Amino acid sequence: MRKAKPKKRVILPDPVFNDVRVSKFVNHLMYDGKKNTSYTIFYSALDLVKNKLPNEEKTALEIWKKALENVTPQVEVKSRRVGGATFQVPTEIRPDRKESISMKNLILYARKRGGKTMAEKLAAEIVDAFNDQGGAYKRKEDMHKMAEANRAFAHFRF
């Protein structure tokens, strides 16, 4: 690589929970620079989560963090060409990429869901992820199965 690596941008914590992960999630959720709209969607989704799980002793933010943790993959497969054949090589994921993948998957499957508003869809996906269900959780399980199936090629790691 000729150039130096670009510096990591500092992301400011969100105004309500004072948490950087919430800001990152909102940035992934945002369309066309509409950050206020994203914050509104996120906070109303957390309110809906609290209403859906009233007997849970955790706060809505803790439920969201647990849901993110449940959809975070540990390994992924990368294509690697060795001697004319392409192998799916299982590799561990860097911590920052893990976080990013889990957030993107949660948002992607929330958008695909049926429902009235994005806040309702996101709340439903968070509740499902918290209970080890839903599209984002299934995606993580599929990634792990694929890595397990291709474990024989782990020695091609790069």
Side-chain angles (χ1 to χ4, degrees):
M1 199 164 114
R2 292 170 191 269
K3 285 184 157 184
K5 286 238 189 277
K7 288 206 168 66
K8 281 277 181 197
R9 290 176 187 267
V10 177
I11 296 176
L12 298 172
D14 77 300
V16 175
F17 298 111
N18 206 27
D19 193 347
V20 175
R21 285 171 74 187
V22 172
S23 290
K24 286 183 182 177
F25 190 82
V26 166
N27 287 345
H28 282 301
L29 188 61
M30 179 172 48
Y31 270 145
D32 296 328
K34 306 269 186 194
K35 192 173 277 193
N36 272 338
T37 308
S38 294
Y39 272 122
T40 307
I41 290 169
F42 180 73
Y43 294 138
S44 52
L46 286 190
D47 289 341
L48 289 168
V49 165
K50 198 65 194 152
N51 294 341
K52 283 184 180 185
L53 300 170
N55 55 355
E56 192 67 43
E57 63 272 358
K58 293 181 177 177
T59 64
L61 186 69
E62 288 169 338
I63 290 170
W64 172 75
K65 284 184 177 176
K66 181 75 174 115
L68 260 187
E69 198 179 294
N70 288 347
V71 299
T72 303
Q74 303 302 316
V75 287
E76 67 181 345
V77 290
K78 287 187 174 180
S79 295
R80 173 101 163 105
R81 235 175 120 72
V82 179
T86 306
F87 295 108
Q88 296 285 349
V89 180
T91 53
E92 284 191 22
I93 311 176
R94 297 187 321 273
D96 55 330
R97 182 163 159 75
K98 275 184 198 176
E99 190 178 59
S100 181
I101 287 173
S102 63
M103 288 178 181
K104 285 176 184 174
N105 283 343
L106 201 63
I107 291 166
L108 174 79
Y109 284 98
R111 285 194 177 127
K112 285 183 179 177
R113 269 182 111 88
K116 286 247 188 279
T117 63
M118 183 58 194
E120 287 174 19
K121 294 193 267 190
L122 185 60
E125 192 63 38
I126 289 169
V127 169
D128 275 357
F130 180 72
N131 296 323
D132 291 339
Q133 298 170 336
Y137 184 77
K138 189 177 180 316
R139 174 79 168 261
K140 174 205 148 184
E141 290 297 308
D142 290 345
M143 284 176 85
H144 281 208
K145 279 183 194 154
M146 197 118 117
E148 185 62 35
N150 291 303
R151 215 172 71 189
F153 307 124
H155 64 280
F156 289 132
R157 209 173 275 153
F158 44 97

